[in-house]
Amino acid sequence: MTTQLMWILVVAAVVVLLLVVFGVLLLRRPKAPRGGYTGTRDLDDLPDLDGAEVVEDSPVATLERPESARGRLQRLRGRLAKSNTVLGKGLLMLLSRERIDQDTWDEIEDTLLMADLGTDASLELVENLKKRVRVTGTKDPAELKALLREEMLALVDPTLDRSVRTEAVPGKPAVVLVVGVNGVGKTTTVGKLARVLVAEDKDVLLGGADTFRAAAADQLETWGARVGVPTVRSEQEGADPASVAYDAVTAGIEQEADVVLVDTAGRLQNKAGLMDQLGKVKRVIEKAAAVDEVLLVIDATTGQNGMAQAKVFAEAVDITGIVLTKLDGTAKGGIVVAIQRGLGVPVKLIGLGEGPDDLAPFNAEQFVDAIID
Ligand SMILES: Nc1nc2c(ncn2[C@@H]2O[C@H](COP(=O)(O)OP(=O)(O)OP(=O)(O)O)[C@@H](O)[C@H]2O)c(=O)[nH]1
Ligand SMILES: [Mg+2]
């Protein structure tokens, strides 16, 4: 009888132990994508990238755990500072001269122009600074630096709303359309943004509306697969981008996704064709859900040339935000101001490298501090 009781206790203990182990495993399991992975690639074949944390013990696949967007600009500020040292240090050096005469002011203006700040903004900054230096009569480097910081900040404008609208309404996901000239970093930005949203625990779905070449959708799918985000795409090269975008958004509605990010092509034979296509993509999406955000991606290294191209896009669709990429590779940080003024749209995100988490929310104060500190 006692042996029997002992056996029952042992069996009961084993069952409880198994249940606990099973429960722990279930809790540790990462959130699987709602729509499932629609791609054909083997997840093990995906390239390893630095800095990305890998979720171990995942029964689904080896998914990466992206970094949250908070504090990213702080982490990446070194890259900004490095490329913009010439601007910040140059200006401070000129301001700390024994005598600041007209020649010095001209040099200050040239430095600003070289940093792609644009003529109007450069003149404005010089005029304002000149006035304040004269009124205060200060020679103290710390005070001069504070004046420069204030004037630069006023140009970058800390009052603009820079939030990326990714809040779903009941029954409809938020839709973000990403546009821009070829090679500026659209697909990379969509991939990086998907990771930011995954880190916020959002269900994301990607739409590969760049049907210009099949490799474009493969590239997008790879970004998504690394964080368990599905991609809606067409296998057919040259398929109608508007219909792929529509399919992505309707799939997003069916799968109750929080956000649908749509990547588009930047290469088209002519300006009229591009305008028509982008306008159509947006209109067709709107048959299913509202487009919450149209992000125009601009390569910071292309300077004024990029500005001209950006204007063509702004004519085709109403842009709601700018993503300035490759700011890690240029000393022309002033382009932030030039673009915001030229297009009347805030810079919302900046790309500071090729790494998967090298996209940061733009913050005016941190940006100016990174340049002049
Ligand atoms: N250094 C740096 N490189 C970047 C950044 N963003 C994108 N890139 C690189 O720019 C190149 C082009 O990026 P894509 O995302 O393919 O550009 P795209 O606009 O989608 O190009 P198309 O699809 O051909 O129109 C890639 O090599 C990216 O790694 C950035 O912020 N910094
Ligand atoms: Mg692309």
Side-chain angles (χ1 to χ4, degrees):
M1 183 64 198
T2 4
T3 332
Q4 226 174 2
L5 193 67
M6 216 174 73
W7 272 111
I8 289 171
L9 281 176
V10 168
V11 170
V14 169
V15 168
V16 168
L17 195 72
L18 279 175
L19 280 176
V20 169
V21 169
F22 197 61
V24 167
L25 279 178
L26 267 184
L27 280 177
R28 292 187 61 187
R29 181 184 165 135
K31 205 163 145 191
R34 276 194 190 150
Y37 173 55
T38 59
T40 50
R41 272 165 189 251
D42 186 347
L43 292 182
D44 290 329
D45 288 339
L46 298 174
D48 267 340
L49 283 171
D50 297 339
E53 206 183 320
V54 172
V55 180
E56 301 286 356
D57 298 330
S58 161
V60 181
T62 323
L63 292 183
E64 296 172 8
R65 189 181 296 148
E67 178 195 358
S68 118
R70 279 188 64 217
R72 275 198 195 185
L73 191 50
Q74 216 50 34
R75 168 174 72 80
L76 296 166
R77 85 177 245 159
R79 300 199 188 161
L80 253 185
K82 223 184 284 164
S83 57
N84 283 286
T85 302
V86 194
L87 172 61
K89 294 264 182 331
L91 289 174
L92 289 172
M93 218 174 65
L94 288 167
L95 281 172
S96 59
R97 277 188 184 166
E98 193 50 44
R99 244 194 75 210
I100 309 182
D101 54 15
Q102 188 52 43
D103 282 351
T104 310
W105 288 115
D106 287 346
E107 278 181 67
I108 291 176
E109 194 182 328
D110 287 345
T111 310
L112 294 170
L113 284 170
M114 264 165 34
D116 262 349
L117 200 72
T119 327
D120 290 354
S122 301
L123 262 177
E124 197 177 310
L125 199 147
V126 167
E127 285 311 314
N128 290 347
L129 212 54
K130 211 188 220 174
K131 241 182 268 162
R132 293 185 73 181
V133 169
R134 202 173 291 146
V135 170
T136 55
T138 183
K139 291 226 173 288
D140 177 35
E143 276 176 34
L144 286 168
K145 188 171 168 179
L147 289 182
L148 177 65
R149 183 185 184 277
E150 272 177 35
E151 291 304 327
M152 282 176 100
L153 194 57
L155 287 182
V156 180
D157 198 349
T159 65
L160 296 177
D161 176 12
R162 300 181 193 274
S163 55
V164 180
R165 279 168 275 171
T166 52
E167 289 310 316
V169 293
K172 295 269 168 94
V175 178
V176 180
L177 187 62
V178 178
V179 303
V181 183
N182 61 293
V184 291
K186 291 180 297 297
T187 308
T188 309
T189 297
V190 170
K192 288 174 174 174
L193 187 55
R195 298 173 69 94
V196 169
L197 297 168
V198 166
E200 288 170 7
D201 239 353
K202 290 203 157 98
D203 276 313
V204 185
L205 191 139
L206 305 181
D210 179 355
T211 56
F212 209 81
R213 53 197 171 88
D218 290 345
Q219 185 193 355
L220 189 69
E221 210 166 42
T222 304
W223 272 99
R226 290 167 57 185
V227 285
V229 166
T231 299
V232 171
R233 59 173 292 182
S234 167
E235 294 301 330
Q236 197 192 334
E237 221 169 62
D240 179 12
S243 98
V244 179
Y246 180 82
D247 287 350
V249 173
T250 46
I253 295 170
E254 274 163 27
Q255 295 172 22
E256 295 173 29
D258 298 311
V259 190
V260 177
L261 304 177
V262 181
D263 184 29
T264 60
R267 202 183 318 247
L268 271 187
Q269 283 79 2
N270 57 58
K271 185 175 145 183
L274 176 81
M275 311 256 281
D276 282 355
Q277 188 179 88
L278 282 181
K280 185 178 164 200
V281 168
K282 186 160 181 263
R283 277 195 311 279
V284 172
I285 290 177
E286 280 166 347
K287 290 185 181 170
V291 174
D292 299 271
E293 192 82 61
V294 181
L295 295 177
L296 173 63
V297 183
I298 299 174
D299 176 342
T301 63
T302 58
Q304 297 301 323
N305 194 19
M307 246 328 266
Q309 293 169 334
K311 285 201 167 136
V312 176
F313 280 85
E315 281 170 40
V317 269
D318 284 334
I319 308 295
T320 57
I322 307 287
V323 182
L324 205 53
T325 56
K326 310 187 195 182
L327 261 176
D328 52 310
T330 176
K332 297 179 179 294
I335 194 76
V336 167
V337 173
I339 280 173
Q340 282 186 168
R341 291 197 157 197
L343 299 177
V345 177
V347 171
K348 294 192 168 178
L349 298 165
I350 52 176
L352 287 161
E354 294 192 84
D357 293 326
D358 291 348
L359 179 80
F362 185 78
N363 174 290
E365 279 94 353
Q366 288 176 1
F367 179 75
V368 170
D369 285 343
I371 290 176
I372 61 170
D373 254 2

